[in-house]
Amino acid sequence: MKFIDEFRDPVKAQVLLKEIEQLVGRIERARALPRPLQIMEVCGGHTHAIFRYGLKQMLPPAVEFVHGPGCPVCVLPMGRVDDCLSLAEQPGVIFTTFGDALRVPGSKQSLLQAKANGADVRMVYSPLDALKLARENPQREVIFFGLGFETTMPSTAMTLLAARRAGVRNFSLFCNHITIIPTIKAILDSPDLHLDGFLGPGHVSLVIGTQPYEFIAGHYHKPIVIAGFEPLDLLQSLWMVLKQLAEGRSQVENQYARVVPATGNRAALAALQEVFELREFFEWRGLGSIDHSGVRIRAAFAEFDAERKFSVPNLKIADPKACQCGEVLKGVIKPHECKVFGTACTPETPLGALMVSSEGACAAYYNFGRIDISGLRGNAPELERRAAV
Amino acid sequence: MQRGRGKVRDTTITLAHGSGGKAMRDLIQDVILGAFNNPLLAPLEDQAVIGLHELARGGDRLAFTTDTFVVHPLFFPGGDIGQLAVNGTVNDLAMSGARPLYLSCGLVLEEGLPVETLRRVTQSMRAAADLAGVSIVTGDTKVVERGAADKLFINTAGLGVVPTGVNISASRARAGDQVIVNGYLGDHGCAILLARNELALETEVETDCQPLADLVATMLSVCPDIHCLRDATRGGLATVLNEFAQASRVAIRLHENALPLREEVRGACEILGLDPLYLANEGKLVALVPAAFAEPLVAAMRAHPAGQQAAIVGEVVEAPAGVVMLNTGFGGGRIVDLLVGEQLPRIC
């Protein structure tokens, strides 16, 4: 496919892998490393791509990806899912959301189970589809469960603006949008932090630009490279991070410049500013409460705010004790090192949300990485030969 | 017996059409017999009576299967529920190497279904049965109240005869076997997704729904010792291979670059975050065969209309037992596991 296959060229990958190996050698010679270099990919889309293309098997063992908090489904606390269920079960409500939010476990059931038990829960591909449902069902109340980082936030904001313009009265948003910068800061402030550098989220940065990450390089002295989602994007971004480490630099660099402008997207940012404001704090699954990490709907749009329009129990439910989601999210342990990984917690019976979404680190490990298939690079010699030509 | 168009005056199905009275008799004679008529069905007895001597000429074992079809929408690019109901059962028989002969047809009709829709579906079933060389020889009709079913459900059961000496089973995969598919993967699953019109994508992909028994007969003439054979319907190629790997206690290695995929299907999967390995097919089979037969088999399949894009896509290896792996086109590797639940589009 044009504009896709160019970023999946295995011959170019071999060239990059060779250079990555050389850089790792340089870094190892410069510092006596007691452990592998840990590079966090912040975004769940990156986690998915790393596993889908088998990048883990291709890298030298001295480099490890740490799968960060960037899957919005995975960081959703159980209490919020229970709040959704409470909204979905109110009479006359059509409750709508994205596909992968449907399977996240609440304390008693998921939205999919609630649907099977009679709640009118529907999957939509966009909040605009939810608004369309509201216009087609004027006698019903349509609630859209909005979640995600700055990636999905603009489409929700635009939908509320469209709903207000059209005078729709039976549409509201249960806002669970979260914002990435305070979360990265919380991870950087964690006392058990081991990370050496970051692959910055491509889609989020398309909205916010690259400038908000300056503190990571400036204050915390960690390199960050905004990365695209194709496998060559990821390898090149990793190479850029390692190059900074080898040269003793820490800067914000933009590998995904074909999509991400330094200043972000002004129209999207203006819509966010008009519709949302920061919450004082927001609860994250596994990470606890993080100041200013969530947004709520401004008072000017109160008529579209499900939290004002309906009674939401606002439940606080502690994560299951055995779950070590927080340590996985911070890169302190690998998914398979969690006490319940693959036993009590599997994709069929997820205890932690990291096991639910295909972007979740634990589900990706379980589905794609739980068995050692390091011998699978059967075609590598042929690729190396082609790369050398 | 009087039959033909015009006996049913109602334009929609009512509960009377399931009551056992005149309305039901008219519906069966007009719509059902009008489409399916054949000497075994025409007497409208409660059962079809089939001569054993005729069956015994085709082989030494009976293959018997049933499947129920519930699809939304009823009509989609390249096909409809009726065609699916015939080919699905014909193909289930064919995957044992059997020659399919007879089908039953059970219809569950929702009150309010347009009679014209039922006519279109039964005519489509007749056309599919003719193409597959099978007869629909017995059946049943039920009408349920509006809301108790989604327009139209169809159950078909099928009988076929397995030729002497053919021994196909999911547990017969051996290290060294080659994995063969007969063409583009995921067309049906993609066509249904797009036909639901939830995505507003302009690409049109048609279902791959087709009968496979004749292709299987061609394959058996080249390689009588096919080890494993299955049609890759719900759950797609990945699910079938996991079933083979687990039943035979072997590993299966796929090569991403060898998988036949249409650009449109790849594109839709990219947009939706879906994996084409798990998309449903309705006219695609997966065969595991001894390596020596793989290339001549693919050549013979490519000469058949149902196998023009046949390809070798992987091989069976010894370990790790029960696991399907994929060599990615990018040079890496990963596990291709059984899917948990339905594939759901990702958030971003």
Side-chain angles (χ1 to χ4, degrees), chain B residues 112-183:
Chain B
L113 178 81
V115 171
E116 189 51 34
T117 300
L118 183 61
R119 267 190 218 283
R120 276 179 69 191
V121 169
T122 50
Q123 293 292 346
S124 170
M125 289 182 79
R126 169 60 187 264
D130 285 351
L131 186 64
V134 295
S135 304
I136 298 167
V137 295
T138 186
D140 178 51
T141 304
K142 293 281 185 298
V143 179
V144 296
E145 284 185 37
R146 188 184 284 271
D150 185 8
K151 297 184 276 295
L152 168 62
F153 298 159
I154 304 177
N155 172 274
T156 48
L159 274 183
V161 178
V162 185
T164 308
V166 171
N167 180 19
I168 297 170
S169 158
S171 61
R172 289 196 63 220
R174 297 290 176 269
D177 284 358
Q178 300 290 294
V179 183
I180 293 172
V181 298
N182 66 317

Side-chain angles (χ1 to χ4, degrees), chain A residues 12-14 16-17 20 55 58-59 65 199 230-240 242, chain B residues 330:
Chain A
K12 287 184 182 148
Q14 290 300 317
L16 266 171
L17 282 167
I20 285 171
L55 295 189
M58 301 169 79
L59 290 173
F65 284 118
L199 299 185
E230 291 299 328
L232 274 184
D233 286 328
L234 284 162
L235 282 188
Q236 191 186 21
S237 302
L238 176 65
W239 173 78
M240 289 165 75
L242 294 173
Chain B
F330 191 63

Side-chain angles (χ1 to χ4, degrees), chain A residues 152-338:
Chain A
T152 50
M153 230 186 271
S155 63
T156 313
M158 299 287 188
T159 303
L160 287 201
L161 291 168
R164 189 169 68 174
R165 270 199 309 277
V168 179
R169 319 285 308 173
N170 63 327
F171 176 75
S172 60
L173 166 71
F174 181 40
C175 180
N176 283 265
H177 283 297
I178 43 184
T179 177
I180 195 75
I181 296 295
T183 319
I184 298 181
K185 190 168 178 307
I187 287 171
L188 282 162
D189 284 335
S190 170
D192 41 13
L193 181 84
H194 296 157
L195 301 176
D196 296 285
F198 290 88
L199 299 185
H203 291 146
V204 165
S205 309
L206 162 68
V207 176
I208 68 173
T210 61
Q211 286 156 350
Y213 303 104
E214 290 293 346
F215 75 99
I216 299 173
H219 184 75
Y220 292 91
H221 307 294
K222 304 279 182 195
I224 174 167
V225 175
I226 313 306
F229 292 85
E230 291 299 328
L232 274 184
D233 286 328
L234 284 162
L235 282 188
Q236 191 186 21
S237 302
L238 176 65
W239 173 78
M240 289 165 75
V241 170
L242 294 173
K243 197 153 188 297
Q244 289 197 41
L245 288 173
E247 293 169 2
R249 291 184 288 124
S250 57
Q251 290 170 318
V252 181
E253 291 181 326
N254 187 3
Q255 182 275 339
Y256 205 27
R258 68 180 186 277
V259 171
V260 173
T263 52
N265 181 320
R266 281 194 194 150
L269 287 170
L272 297 188
Q273 183 63 26
E274 185 174 357
V275 174
F276 298 120
E277 62 188 3
L278 286 178
R279 292 179 195 258
E280 286 300 304
F281 43 81
F282 194 81
E283 186 78 19
W284 290 59
R285 183 147 194 157
L287 296 176
S289 181
I290 301 177
D291 291 353
H292 303 122
S293 64
V295 300
R296 65 173 164 238
I297 299 168
R298 287 187 188 275
F301 290 85
E303 59 183 311
F304 301 107
D305 188 348
E307 286 179 270
R308 289 176 164 108
K309 210 167 172 179
F310 300 89
S311 144
V312 178
N314 208 1
L315 296 165
K316 296 259 180 292
I317 293 165
D319 293 332
K321 277 206 179 104
C323 277
Q324 295 180 278
C325 298
E327 287 154 276
V328 174
L329 283 174
K330 286 186 285 191
V332 178
I333 61 168
K334 290 277 187 189
H336 65 272
E337 291 164 352
C338 171

Side-chain angles (χ1 to χ4, degrees), chain B residues 205-278:
Chain B
V205 181
E206 290 201 342
T207 177
D208 58 1
C209 187
Q210 60 179 342
L212 295 170
D214 195 57
L215 176 68
V216 172
T218 302
M219 291 167 68
L220 284 170
S221 70
V222 178
C223 175
D225 189 26
I226 293 175
H227 287 169
C228 309
L229 188 63
R230 202 161 276 185
D231 51 345
T233 52
R234 233 176 351 173
L237 175 68
T239 304
V240 170
L241 291 180
N242 269 285
E243 287 164 1
F244 288 164
Q246 284 166 20
S248 299
R249 302 306 301 156
V250 293
I252 295 175
R253 179 156 55 190
L254 286 174
H255 301 284
E256 190 173 43
N257 285 344
L259 296 169
L261 286 169
R262 286 184 204 280
E263 284 291 285
E264 297 90 324
V265 173
R266 276 186 70 198
C269 284
E270 284 294 329
I271 291 169
L272 297 171
L274 301 179
D275 188 338
L277 288 173
Y278 296 94

Side-chain angles (χ1 to χ4, degrees), chain A residues 121-171:
Chain A
V121 175
R122 304 192 196 180
M123 181 181 80
V124 291
Y125 293 90
S126 136
L128 280 171
D129 292 342
L131 180 59
K132 189 165 162 245
L133 260 181
R135 301 182 80 163
E136 289 166 359
N137 295 276
Q139 75 291 2
R140 307 279 300 274
E141 278 290 333
V142 175
I143 302 175
F144 176 68
F145 171 34
L147 73 166
F149 291 95
E150 284 86 344
T151 315
T152 50
M153 230 186 271
S155 63
T156 313
M158 299 287 188
T159 303
L160 287 201
L161 291 168
R164 189 169 68 174
R165 270 199 309 277
V168 179
R169 319 285 308 173
N170 63 327
F171 176 75

